[in-house]
Amino acid sequence: MKLLEDKILQDGRVLPGGILKIDSFLNHQLDVALITELGKEFYRLFSSARVTKILTVESSGIALAFAAAQCFSVPVVFAKKGHHKNVGSDVYTADVFSFTKGIPYTMTVSKAYLGAEDNVLVIDDFLANGAAAEGLLSILGQAGAKLAGIGIAVEKGFQPGGAQLRGRGIHVESLAIIDAMTDDSIVFKAQ
Ligand code: 5GP
């Protein structure tokens, strides 16, 4: 999606360790007009999938999921990171290794908000090694919910997550796919 690619080229910064920093519009400050357009694009890409719920993980996935959910007119459920007393004990959990923090964490979703009747679109900000997506898929599996597809804002195509998920026949749509990045250049996959 050219709008997102242009924004990444304009405002993104490449950090050591293969991390793209996009704090100015998605990961800290939110560019609401841009994120609204990303939500519409997710809707265009998955509009035939009969989505009943959107699942993401806190915190950076929430704004994207919210923007998409406005188009689908469905609720958003976000997995919480860690164990939360106020979520209760009737929960689905998945242990995930955080790419950016370099430590494991537990995703938690209350059983009240996800069930076998749901057809779920998973949305997240980045796809790198695929650990966050796998955690969300594990939670869907525990709920017996169906997967409508996975929508990602920025996929780092030089990491294996996207290829692994697509290789299993999962419908993955990434609005921008980065083929390569260095301190002073970001190369997108032609889409
Ligand atoms: P994965 O689990 O696919 O390895 O990584 C995806 C998760 O790690 C995303 O939820 C995102 O929060 C974070 N992440 C991975 N790569 C990057 C990156 O290059 N930049 C930022 N800002 N977050 C990333």
Side-chain angles (χ1 to χ4, degrees):
M1 184 184 184
K2 187 167 183 325
L3 185 67
L4 178 58
E5 292 179 355
D6 288 348
K7 189 71 174 171
I8 292 169
L9 290 176
Q10 188 188 304
D11 292 344
R13 211 153 51 79
V14 179
L15 301 183
I19 304 271
L20 177 66
K21 192 171 161 77
I22 52 173
D23 276 13
S24 68
F25 62 92
L26 188 60
N27 288 143
H28 193 3
Q29 175 171 256
L30 299 175
D31 182 331
V32 174
L34 173 75
I35 293 168
T36 301
E37 292 307 312
L38 304 187
K40 289 181 192 165
E41 184 65 1
F42 284 130
Y43 179 69
R44 190 183 70 76
L45 293 165
F46 292 102
S47 54
S48 62
R50 296 178 191 222
V51 172
T52 66
K53 215 162 258 190
I54 295 181
L55 177 66
T56 188
V57 54
E58 67 178 358
S59 54
S60 292
I62 296 175
L64 286 165
F66 182 97
Q70 282 198 309
C71 303
F72 285 98
S73 298
V74 298
V76 172
V77 177
F78 61 91
K80 298 196 178 205
K81 289 180 177 170
H83 294 278
H84 291 259
K85 285 202 177 110
N86 59 357
V87 180
S89 56
D90 217 7
V91 293
Y92 310 116
T93 62
D95 292 328
V96 171
F97 187 79
S98 166
F99 178 78
T100 43
K101 297 199 176 79
I103 48 165
Y105 68 93
T106 302
M107 285 180 179
T108 305
V109 171
S110 168
K111 289 185 181 174
Y113 303 125
L114 217 49
E117 67 285 2
D118 284 313
N119 187 36
V120 178
L121 175 61
V122 168
I123 283 190
D124 203 5
D125 58 344
F126 276 89
L127 175 59
N129 291 331
E134 292 293 352
L136 294 171
L137 294 186
S138 163
I139 283 171
L140 284 191
Q142 293 167 51
K146 284 209 293 291
L147 174 67
I150 301 180
I152 299 290
V154 186
E155 176 178 338
K156 294 189 292 182
F158 53 88
Q159 290 184 248
Q164 283 168 4
L165 292 166
R166 291 186 185 94
R168 281 155 50 193
I170 294 172
H171 180 193
V172 181
E173 295 280 1
S174 299
L175 305 186
I177 301 180
I178 298 176
D179 262 348
M181 62 185 198
T182 61
D183 283 359
D184 49 15
S185 86
I186 297 174
V187 179
F188 294 102
K189 180 177 180 194
Q191 294 204 76

